[in-house]
Amino acid sequence: MTALAPPPSGEMLKRRPFAMAISKAGAVISITGAIIIWLVILGPLGALAAHVSPASISRSLSLPQALQPLVTSVEASSITLGVLVVVCTPLAWLLARRRLPATRIWETGILLMLLVPPLVLGLLLVLMAGPLTPVGHGLSELHLSASDTFFALVVAESYEAAPYYLLGAQAAFAAVDPAHEDNAALLGDRPTRTFYRVTLPLASPGLANALAVAWARAMGAFGAVLIVAYHPYGLPMQVWTTLEERGLPYALPFALLLIAVALPVPVAAYLWSARARG
Amino acid sequence: MLEVDIEILRRDQTVAANFQVGQGERFALFGPSGAGKTTVLNALAGLVRIHKGTVVLGSTVLSSTRHPRRQVPLRHRHLGLLRQRAGLFPHLSVRQNLRYAGASTKELEELSEQIGIKELLDRSPATLSGGQAQRAALARVLLGPCRALLLDEPFVGLDLSLRTQLAGIVGDIAVARQLPTILVTHELAEAQAFADRIGVIDRGRIVQIDGPSQVVLEPATRRIAELLGYRGFPPEDPKLVGNRRIGVHPARVVTGERVVVGPKDIRAQVRILDSWPSGPGWELLCEYLGEQFSFVAPQRYYAHQQLSVTILDPPRFNLDGNRVESR
């Protein structure tokens, strides 16, 4: 019987180099894959950096009123974010806790907003709130207009960024165990106090991520903005018109500026939330 | 006094409960999974709406579907709920958790000393073991506005010595503070060790309420006996097969000729079918008057062996499954 049994040590010696080769090959493949993916992702950024020189940046940005679109974009995006936080945060909580009737229909609506191409969204906004519509009349009573104004820019950015924030915030709230809220209530907290003491701190990493994505969307909003708020120029519109009127070399510095302003917030939020989650 | 008379509609069944728990009394709700134990507890806590009935704590009506209808919100119910998951707020330290309801430093220090978590106060809940977290959660509940304790299997998942220790602490505090306390569990031994009275709940109904020993020695029906661990129901009288049945509990069968037979005990000749090791002894599967049951014996017996055993004071059931007094 013992003679029939395979010698274990010999077998191990035969298998070990093969297994090691496989694991080495696996490591090489995964590292190479990661490098390729990074190159693909960062390729356009690298190309942008390669084509923009300090001289071209200063030439573009020293044009008269060159920085006004940046100011406009930052202001509009900040207001957009404020509106989203005030309006969409409670809505996201209600959706996450299934406190609204017909939650599925709400979610479908939000998903539709996300899926409609921004350009089409702009057309729909014109149809809904253009100067000749009842909403447009109502707005003009308030001395507002949803067409080619700063207000229109905020509206367009809000429509483009809202679904991203709503879905992110809903996921952030849904990740908070409702048992924590029950415990806080049983310990004597009223619902608003529970929200500020328990729900919000626990959801804040996810909320920060959602807000960062919304910021990037608002800063880069273009499709809907092109239709309803061509003026006042925001940064994406500045990139587009400079490209049309003066060509790529003049537009690239603005593109770099857009990235430089839009990206740090999301990256910082991601790093903070990753740290908060441990 | 906590007075409960409620009916809750669940998707799969209606759960009804009717019982009272006195000040400082420890009451256990025992039953299999899905019987409705946690539903009852959640209804008392106010997490689940009741369909019919009332919950009264002292002189306060917490829930009532009778006129005037009433559903006191969670924050005004003043109930301490402890669940299987300790549920400490993960973004706060243990001390901050304990102070959540606004306890004074003196109260906090005293109670954490009593419960043995004084050295854990500045730790984060994520760094606590299961037992430590449950102790901290207990302290948080007791430092809150707590007029009754609701325990939903809070000791599940802890090792036996820790469970015993924690159950002891909770029980002592319930008595010292005169809190009506309800423990929900699916483990009979835990219910017996903790409670002054046990309510057996099955398929959404409380089917028996009795003291910890009566509930096992005198199950009201054959179904309750099955829930309590009785494993065989052979005929009582070998000559009158099918007349009445006795309940055989694995822990209430003894082997050997030298056992002094009491007036209500039954001497039986059983045939061994199988045996396997169980703890320090052997579990024997045997046959007696056409019924199979198993019990634990100190030594091994083999298949086909005949063995003389004594079934200690078994409950008797008529053919409807209801218990009858022994002759």
Side-chain angles (χ1 to χ4, degrees):
Chain A
M1 282 303 279
T2 40
L4 286 172
S9 55
E11 189 75 356
M12 288 293 280
L13 281 173
K14 265 184 227 162
R15 274 186 189 171
R16 198 172 282 163
F18 183 65
M20 280 173 71
I22 289 274
S23 80
K24 264 187 191 168
V28 169
I29 289 170
S30 59
I31 290 169
T32 318
I35 291 170
I36 290 172
I37 289 168
W38 268 103
L39 285 178
V40 169
I41 291 172
L42 297 178
L45 283 180
L48 179 62
H51 284 87
V52 181
S53 63
S56 69
I57 293 176
S58 71
R59 189 181 59 207
S60 284
L61 299 184
S62 60
L63 291 171
Q65 295 290 308
L67 289 177
Q68 185 53 42
L70 169 67
V71 175
T72 306
S73 266
V74 170
E75 281 177 357
S77 299
S78 305
I79 293 173
T80 298
L81 240 54
V83 171
L84 293 186
V85 167
V86 172
V87 177
C88 296
T89 309
L91 180 60
W93 183 81
L94 291 169
L95 286 171
R97 289 286 175 263
R98 311 257 154 204
R99 295 283 174 91
L100 286 175
T103 308
R104 288 263 175 249
I105 294 175
W106 280 91
E107 285 172 349
T108 311
I110 295 165
L111 212 57
L112 273 179
M113 268 178 80
L114 188 76
L115 295 177
V116 170
L119 205 60
V120 179
L121 195 67
L123 294 175
L124 299 180
L125 278 177
V126 171
L127 280 179
M128 186 185 78
L132 300 175
T133 63
V135 176
H137 282 302
L139 286 172
S140 66
E141 294 284 318
L142 300 167
H143 304 290
L144 289 169
S145 166
S147 177
D148 280 343
T149 58
F150 183 76
F151 174 71
L153 181 60
V154 172
V155 170
E157 287 188 357
S158 300
Y159 267 87
E160 277 202 37
Y164 291 91
Y165 179 66
L166 264 173
L167 291 178
Q170 185 192 357
F173 285 130
V176 177
D177 188 351
H180 288 312
E181 292 169 353
D182 294 341
N183 284 338
L186 283 166
L187 288 168
D189 264 2
R190 56 179 63 249
T192 44
R193 218 167 130 76
T194 299
F195 185 78
Y196 287 114
R197 291 177 81 189
V198 175
T199 316
L200 206 52
L202 289 177
S204 57
L207 287 176
N209 268 344
L211 212 55
V213 172
W215 168 261
R217 293 312 308 163
M219 282 296 290
F222 180 70
V225 173
L226 181 70
I227 306 289
V228 300
Y230 194 86
H231 293 285
Y233 277 3
L235 206 43
M237 203 55 73
Q238 176 78 358
V239 174
W240 173 247
T241 49
T242 314
L243 180 71
E244 288 284 283
E245 292 166 7
R246 291 167 168 261
L248 190 60
Y250 283 87
L252 283 179
F254 287 106
L256 192 64
L257 189 61
L258 181 57
I259 290 170
V261 179
L263 275 193
V265 177
V267 171
Y270 170 75
L271 291 176
W272 176 75
S273 70
R275 207 176 138 221
R277 284 181 182 137
Chain B
M1 166 94 90
L2 178 60
E3 293 164 75
V4 181
D5 179 10
I6 51 174
E7 212 177 286
I8 309 133
L9 295 184
R10 236 170 48 168
R11 212 172 291 170
D12 55 338
Q13 66 185 5
T14 306
V15 177
N18 183 348
F19 59 88
Q20 286 91 36
V21 187
Q23 297 301 117
E25 187 187 7
R26 292 160 298 182
F27 182 80
L29 214 47
F30 163 83
S33 300
K37 311 181 290 283
T38 298
T39 306
V40 170
L41 214 63
N42 284 343
L44 301 187
L47 300 171
V48 170
R49 278 201 172 261
I50 60 171
H51 171 61
K52 239 198 271 179
T54 52
V55 179
V56 182
L57 176 61
S59 55
T60 317
V61 178
L62 295 182
S63 301
S64 175
T65 56
R66 293 182 201 124
H67 188 75
R69 292 178 75 87
R70 200 169 158 85
Q71 174 74 8
V72 173
L74 296 190
R75 65 178 190 277
H76 291 142
R77 289 177 96 85
H78 299 167
L79 297 170
L81 175 65
L82 213 56
R83 291 191 259 209
Q84 192 178 338
R85 287 178 58 192
L88 294 169
F89 303 127
H91 60 299
L92 303 177
S93 70
V94 172
R95 187 189 298 276
Q96 287 167 324
N97 265 283
L98 265 54
R99 296 193 74 141
Y100 192 87
S104 72
T105 312
K106 186 167 167 275
E107 283 175 304
L108 188 147
E109 296 284 331
E110 278 175 12
L111 191 71
S112 27
E113 179 85 59
Q114 185 185 354
I115 295 182
I117 52 166
K118 205 164 181 189
E119 65 284 6
L120 307 175
L121 288 177
D122 295 314
R123 297 253 299 264
S124 153
T127 65
L128 302 183
S129 69
Q132 291 171 331
Q134 276 301 4
R135 277 193 228 195
L138 171 68
R140 183 177 70 175
V141 155
L142 292 172
L143 288 168
C146 178
R147 288 173 53 209
L149 268 178
L150 308 177
L151 313 170
D152 188 1
E153 310 208 41
F155 314 127
V156 168
L158 306 179
D159 63 65
L160 193 61
S161 66
L162 208 57
R163 291 168 81 139
T164 317
Q165 189 192 12
L166 262 176
I169 293 175
V170 178
D172 291 348
I173 287 175
V175 173
R177 297 193 177 195
Q178 286 294 292
L179 300 172
T181 301
I182 302 175
L183 170 73
V184 152
T185 179
H186 64 271
E187 289 193 21
L188 182 62
E190 186 167 274
Q192 286 176 310
F194 181 81
D196 305 313
R197 277 188 310 145
I198 295 176
V200 182
I201 186 167
D202 180 37
R203 296 173 191 148
R205 293 280 177 282
I206 292 192
V207 284
Q208 185 174 356
I209 297 179
D210 254 318
S213 58
Q214 285 105 303
V215 90
V216 187
L217 297 178
E218 297 162 17
T221 64
R222 183 172 157 167
R223 166 71 189 164
I224 298 172
E226 282 169 13
L227 295 176
L228 294 166
Y230 285 80
R231 285 290 165 265
F233 298 90
E236 180 182 7
D237 189 339
K239 290 169 218 128
L240 291 169
V241 173
N243 176 14
R244 291 202 310 195
R245 301 266 165 169
I246 56 169
V248 183
H249 195 285
R252 296 187 55 75
V253 178
V254 287
T255 53
E257 297 287 339
R258 274 182 289 172
V259 173
V260 179
V261 179
K264 292 177 181 174
D265 298 342
I266 289 183
R267 205 10 91 73
Q269 279 287 325
V270 300
R271 190 166 68 91
I272 305 297
L273 301 173
D274 198 0
S275 68
W276 56 92
S278 171
W282 294 85
E283 187 157 350
L284 309 177
L285 179 68
C286 66
E287 190 189 54
Y288 173 61
L289 300 179
E291 274 276 318
Q292 292 185 4
F293 58 85
S294 67
F295 63 96
V296 179
Q299 68 189 87
R300 184 169 197 177
Y301 294 90
Y302 292 91
H304 309 301
Q305 252 186 298
Q306 296 282 330
L307 183 62
S308 174
V309 300
T310 304
I311 303 166
L312 299 173
D313 186 20
R316 275 95 167 151
F317 302 100
N318 62 22
L319 290 181
D320 297 332
N322 292 318
R323 193 172 64 84
V324 287
E325 288 304 322
S326 35
R327 283 178 207 144

